[in-house]
Amino acid sequence: MYELLEKLVDFRAEVRAFCEENIAPHAAEVDEKQIFKKEVQELINSKGWWGCIVPKEYGGMGMSTAEYALIVEEISRVCGSTGLTFAAHNSLGTYPIYKFGTEKQRRKYLPNACKNGDLIAFGLTEPEAGSDAGGTKSKAVRDGDHYILNGTKCWITSAEPCTVAIATARTSDEGGVKGISSFIVEKGIEGFSVGKKENKMGCRGSNTAYLHFDDVKLHESQRLGDEGLGFKQFMITLDGGRISIAAMALGIAQAAFELASKRAVEREAFGKPISANQAIQWKVADMAMQIEAARHLVYGSAWLKDQGRKHTKESAMAKVYASEVANFCTYQAIQILGADGYSSKYPAERYYRDMKLCEIGEGTSEVQRIVIAREIFRSISSL
C-alpha cells in the first residue's frame, strides 16, 4: 500500500495544485447558490477527467481506479459538491455503459461523456425503493422491438444537467431482483422529464432531482445488456461506486483536519495557542490516525479493483469507515474553531454538511455493515 501511495505522490501534487487554483475559488458560491457551474465543468473537462477511467479507445484516459480515487479525493477536499458530481458521472455513469454496454453503445455515448463532459445520471432509487433497490416499481413493457417505460426515480445526481440517464425498470412480472433490466435514456425523448430539485443539507451545488418517465418509447437497442440483469449490473457498479464515495469522504476529512490543525496553531486562548492544550492535541491526533487508516482502506479497495479481484467487502468497508471518519473530523474541526467553525467565515461548517451524504448515498452505513457481514459469512460457508 505504501508503494502504491508513493507512486501517486507526484500525481497528487499535480491534481491538488489544479484543484486549489481552479475549483476551490468556486466552492463557496456553488454551495451558497446551489448551482452547478458550467465554468467548473469546463475546467475539469480541460484535464480530460470526465473520462478518466474510460479506456482511451472510447475517448477516455484509461486511468487506474487508484488514480481516479485520488482525483475524487482532491476535488472533494476543496468542494464536496463538485466531488460528488464528478464521482457519480464516472463511477455510476460511464462505468456501466463501458462494462455492460454493446460496442455500438460505447461508441455512441462514451466519447461525448469523456471529451465534452456530457454528464450521465444513474437512476436506481425510487420513492419506495431506496436501500431496498430490489423493490423497483418502474416498468418497461415490451411492444414489438420497443419498450414503453413508465416510472419515477428520485435522489438522482445530475438529473437536470445530464444528457443521458441509465435507469432500471421491471421487464417481467417476476418478483424480486430477477425481473429488473436497465436502459439508456436520452434527454429530449418524449415523456422523459426532470422533476423536483431537492433542497439539500450539503453538497448543495450538485444537482439532485427527480426523473419522470411517462410512456417513454425506447428501442430495444437502448437496453443495457440482457433482460433481467439490471439489478446485478447495478450491484457490480455500486461496488466500484463505493470506492469513489469513500474517496470523497476522505477528501472532506483531510480538508477538515488541515483547517483544524492550522487554526489550532494560530488561535490563542489564555495567553497561548490552543494547540498547546492536551484536549486539542488528542483531537488532532485522533483525526490524523483515522484519516491514515481510512486512506489505506480506500486505496486498498481501489488496488483490488485494479487487479480484477473481488472487492465487495473491501469497498463497503472503505465507504462506511471513511464516511464515519469524515463525520468525526468535520465535527472536531468545528469544535476546534469554536464559533468561527459554526459560521461561514471558514468552510468547516460546509465540510460538516457535505460529509453527511457519504454516510447515506450509494448505500447507508447500516446497509454497508450488512454487506460486510454477508460477505464474511459467505466466505465461511464456502469453506
Side-chain angles (χ1 to χ4, degrees):
M1 187 52 52
Y2 279 112
E3 268 185 32
L4 173 62
L5 293 173
E6 280 294 317
K7 289 178 181 178
L8 295 173
V9 167
D10 291 340
F11 183 57
R12 184 183 295 279
E14 174 194 338
V15 174
R16 178 168 295 189
F18 177 86
C19 292
E20 289 184 342
E21 180 180 350
N22 297 282
I23 300 177
H26 300 278
E29 180 188 8
V30 161
D31 174 70
E32 184 179 345
K33 295 183 179 178
Q34 300 193 46
I35 53 174
F36 174 73
K37 294 190 73 173
K38 189 72 175 177
E39 182 180 352
V40 175
Q41 182 183 15
E42 290 173 353
L43 284 166
I44 293 173
N45 196 46
S46 71
K47 300 293 288 184
W49 290 347
W50 291 114
C52 61
I53 58 174
V54 174
K56 293 180 180 179
E57 62 186 296
Y58 301 111
M61 301 185 76
M63 286 186 179
S64 67
T65 308
E67 291 170 311
Y68 161 60
L70 186 149
I71 298 174
V72 175
E73 179 189 345
E74 291 298 329
I75 291 177
S76 302
R77 175 178 164 272
V78 298
C79 181
S81 292
T82 305
L84 175 59
T85 301
F86 177 78
H89 170 75
N90 277 285
S91 62
L92 304 183
T94 64
Y95 177 79
I97 292 178
Y98 169 69
K99 179 72 174 178
F100 309 112
T102 63
E103 186 65 14
K104 186 176 180 179
Q105 289 170 338
R106 292 170 183 168
R107 297 288 178 188
K108 182 176 182 180
Y109 297 109
L110 292 179
N112 284 337
C114 297
K115 297 296 187 182
N116 299 333
D118 288 356
L119 298 180
I120 303 176
F122 178 83
L124 176 62
T125 304
E126 297 184 1
E128 296 180 9
S131 294
D132 179 18
T136 296
K137 296 290 192 299
S138 295
K139 286 189 176 182
V141 179
R142 265 277 190 183
D143 181 16
D145 58 357
H146 286 77
Y147 292 88
I148 306 301
L149 173 63
N150 283 281
T152 295
K153 301 293 180 178
C154 59
W155 299 108
I156 308 304
T157 300
S158 300
E160 191 170 28
C162 79
T163 59
V164 171
I166 303 170
T168 51
R170 292 197 171 277
T171 47
S172 80
D173 294 328
E174 185 176 4
V177 302
K178 293 183 179 180
I180 299 175
S181 303
S182 58
F183 297 87
I184 303 172
V185 190
E186 298 178 9
K187 272 283 184 68
I189 192 171
E190 187 176 354
F192 179 18
S193 61
V194 178
K196 175 190 173 187
K197 178 179 178 292
E198 299 294 345
N199 182 21
K200 300 175 297 183
M201 169 185 173
C203 295
R204 292 162 65 84
S206 176
N207 180 274
T208 305
Y210 278 66
L211 295 178
H212 299 295
F213 306 109
D214 300 305
D215 289 332
V216 176
K217 190 175 184 179
L218 299 172
H219 191 267
E220 61 186 1
S221 62
Q222 296 301 109
R223 191 183 66 231
L224 192 60
D226 294 334
E227 273 196 11
L229 295 183
F231 185 84
K232 182 179 180 180
Q233 292 168 355
F234 275 27
M235 291 303 103
I236 293 171
T237 299
L238 285 170
D239 278 348
R242 286 165 182 156
I243 297 173
S244 60
I245 293 298
M248 177 183 168
L250 180 59
I252 295 172
Q254 181 70 36
F257 166 72
E258 291 173 6
L259 175 61
S261 301
K262 184 173 184 294
R263 287 298 297 148
V265 172
E266 296 172 343
R267 184 182 172 197
E268 291 192 1
F270 305 105
K272 60 181 179 181
I274 64 171
S275 59
N277 296 317
Q278 188 181 69
I280 302 300
Q281 293 169 1
W282 283 19
K283 289 179 188 294
V284 170
D286 285 342
M287 292 164 75
M289 287 188 293
Q290 291 185 29
I291 288 172
E292 187 71 9
R295 181 161 284 116
H296 279 255
L297 282 172
V298 171
Y299 288 93
S301 59
W303 181 84
L304 285 174
K305 189 173 188 298
D306 284 332
Q307 301 304 309
R309 294 168 61 174
K310 185 175 174 60
H311 54 281
T312 301
K313 179 183 69 176
E314 289 77 10
S315 63
M317 285 180 168
K319 181 187 178 298
V320 69
Y321 186 75
S323 63
E324 292 181 0
V325 167
N327 189 327
F328 175 81
C329 290
T330 54
Y331 174 85
Q332 296 299 344
I334 290 175
Q335 290 299 109
I336 290 172
L337 269 67
D340 283 343
Y342 193 63
S343 75
S344 59
K345 180 179 180 180
Y346 292 95
E349 57 86 26
R350 169 160 54 86
Y351 299 154
Y352 188 66
R353 290 185 287 105
D354 285 352
M355 73 81 198
K356 192 58 190 174
L357 174 281
C358 301
E359 294 184 307
I360 300 172
E362 294 192 37
T364 63
S365 294
E366 291 77 11
V367 167
Q368 300 312 305
R369 286 181 164 87
I370 293 172
V371 171
I372 294 164
R374 183 182 64 208
E375 291 298 309
I376 291 170
F377 294 140
R378 183 175 290 165
S379 65
I380 293 172
S381 299
S382 65
L383 294 177

